[in-house]
Amino acid sequence: MAEKFLEIEHLKKYFKTGGGQLHAVDDISFTLDKGKVLGVVGESGCGKSTLGRTILGLYDATDGKIIYKGEDVTKAKGKQRKLLRQKMQIIFQDPFASLNPRMTVWDLIADPIKANNLYKDKNEMNKRVWELMDTVGLAKRLTYSYPHELDGGRRQRIGIARALALEPEFIVCDEPVSALDVSIQAQILNLLQDLQESKNLTYIFVTHDLSVVKHISDEIMAMYVGCMVEKSRSDDLFEYPLHPYTKGLLSAIPIPSIDVKRERVILQGELSSPIDPKPGCRFANRCPYAKEICTQQQPQAEEVMPDHFVACHFTKEINNL
């Protein structure tokens, strides 16, 4: 039986703005098993990265619970938070902005190790840094190079090595390949996949690239304006998308063949505002199936097929289930 590793219960993260409360993450619940990869997809600004950072404690949750290995860590502080930081890490989107330009490769990778006093001996520290560099594919000759002297792929490898430095169990990969060239993307994806399998890591993989997320994820969750609209096993989502928004996302994936035709779903209408959102489904004003109840009552995620959750009032009618 799979080990229940992470449980998110009705998680919310709101930000105060001049115009009101911005609902970046609004009432999201899911579970993630040990050693699995959950891909989180959606348009820019839907709350994907905020979800990951709130789970890690980089943002304080407005409401809800974050249960890590059976322990409620939502309001963890002090020593408990420091211990969690060792087990829960993040790989940032921009491999240049996330690195201190005044620090060498050695300094950047050694920094979290020194901050947690893991090694007193300089030789042991060197050995650990070089071991991490080898793990992520960085040549030893780059030990005293600076970030500006390296390409994007190598800079992201530093970020990955830094995330691995404290031997974490859980990593949020926040669009880790979106700022890289296509040829480098494949190398970094393969590295992340190899590390996940060899070290039995658990990932939340945030991306807007559905081709990438299918390649690496066991499960996929689609978000829209702060809310979860669909979550299922990766293969099931691509074969049987049930929410109108997910269908629109999948229809936009390019097919590298002139012989294969796909019905394109064009989403009309304007995005609803995440600032003090009106009652009802956030997708209602872009949904061709919306009815009066959709503008009055927000749908809750329901398991309409085994391990396939959808937040829509008319899932069964739309999909003839």
Side-chain angles (χ1 to χ4, degrees):
M1 185 177 178
E3 177 187 346
K4 196 173 284 186
F5 183 77
L6 185 69
E7 299 170 75
I8 305 302
E9 298 180 359
H10 305 289
L11 188 65
K12 298 179 182 179
K13 177 56 188 174
Y14 300 164
F15 295 97
K16 290 182 179 179
T17 71
Q21 292 266 27
L22 191 153
H23 293 216
V25 175
D26 206 356
D27 200 13
I28 286 184
S29 301
F30 65 87
T31 61
L32 181 57
D33 293 336
K34 174 70 176 170
K36 298 296 184 181
V37 180
L38 172 66
V40 182
V41 301
E43 295 168 284
S44 295
C46 71
K48 307 184 297 295
S49 296
T50 303
L51 172 65
R53 295 179 186 211
T54 305
I55 291 170
L56 291 177
L58 297 178
Y59 296 142
D60 291 331
T62 303
D63 199 5
K65 287 185 179 181
I66 302 161
I67 301 172
Y68 173 71
K69 297 174 71 173
E71 182 181 4
D72 186 351
V73 299
T74 315
K75 300 185 185 300
K77 302 291 182 185
K79 187 176 180 181
Q80 184 190 25
R81 172 56 63 193
K82 187 174 182 179
L83 290 172
L84 279 172
R85 288 268 162 83
Q86 294 182 19
K87 296 300 179 185
M88 306 170 77
Q89 288 289 316
I90 185 169
I91 300 168
F92 292 100
Q93 177 178 359
D94 188 336
F96 192 65
S98 61
L99 301 177
N100 188 330
R102 297 181 181 225
M103 296 173 73
T104 65
V105 172
W106 190 94
D107 293 324
L108 289 162
I109 297 174
D111 193 46
I113 300 172
K114 289 192 287 187
N116 287 273
N117 299 312
L118 297 187
Y119 295 101
K120 303 290 185 184
D121 185 76
K122 182 71 177 285
N123 290 329
E124 288 185 6
M125 177 81 81
N126 279 331
K127 185 178 176 182
R128 177 59 176 156
V129 170
W130 288 329
E131 177 190 329
L132 287 163
M133 289 178 66
D134 183 60
T135 298
V136 301
L138 284 169
K140 193 174 178 180
R141 62 182 170 80
L142 301 174
T143 301
Y144 300 108
S145 299
Y146 289 89
H148 74 270
E149 299 176 303
L150 306 174
D151 60 33
R154 287 192 178 97
R155 288 198 289 259
Q156 193 59 293
R157 289 174 193 271
I158 298 171
I160 295 169
R162 198 169 55 167
L164 294 173
L166 303 179
E167 299 184 356
E169 300 175 311
F170 171 63
I171 299 178
V172 172
C173 304
D174 186 7
E175 301 201 40
V177 297
S178 64
L180 305 177
D181 293 339
V182 174
S183 58
I184 305 299
Q185 285 185 13
Q187 296 176 20
I188 298 299
L189 280 174
N190 289 334
L191 171 62
L192 289 170
Q193 216 163 13
D194 291 343
L195 290 170
Q196 189 261 332
E197 292 170 4
S198 63
K199 297 180 180 294
N200 196 30
L201 295 170
T202 306
Y203 288 164
I204 284 182
F205 195 93
V206 174
T207 183
H208 57 261
D209 189 330
L210 286 154
S211 301
V212 166
V213 83
K214 184 180 182 183
H215 177 70
I216 198 170
S217 302
D218 298 295
E219 297 180 295
I220 298 175
M221 179 172 75
M223 286 183 65
Y224 185 82
V225 193
C227 298
M228 181 183 86
V229 294
E230 188 163 1
K231 177 181 176 287
S232 78
R233 289 187 290 263
S234 180
D235 291 341
D236 291 347
L237 191 86
F238 276 80
E239 192 168 351
Y240 307 111
L242 300 178
H243 195 281
Y245 176 64
T246 315
K247 292 179 181 181
L249 283 181
L250 295 181
S251 78
I253 300 174
I255 301 176
S257 173
I258 60 172
D259 299 320
V260 179
K261 302 294 182 183
R262 175 190 286 151
E263 184 181 350
R264 184 77 167 87
V265 179
I266 307 295
L267 299 177
Q268 307 287 344
E270 294 291 326
L271 281 165
S272 57
S273 173
I275 298 175
D276 293 331
K278 298 175 182 177
C281 175
R282 305 278 166 85
F283 188 64
N285 60 347
R286 300 180 75 188
C287 181
Y289 307 102
K291 297 182 181 178
E292 187 176 355
I293 190 174
C294 301
T295 60
Q296 299 173 348
Q297 183 179 328
Q298 185 169 336
Q300 299 301 308
E302 295 182 5
E303 188 174 12
V304 294
M305 293 170 65
D307 295 321
H308 199 141
F309 298 84
V310 186
C312 177
H313 291 298
F314 301 104
T315 303
K316 294 181 178 179
E317 290 87 337
I318 293 169
N319 297 284
N320 298 315
L321 297 178

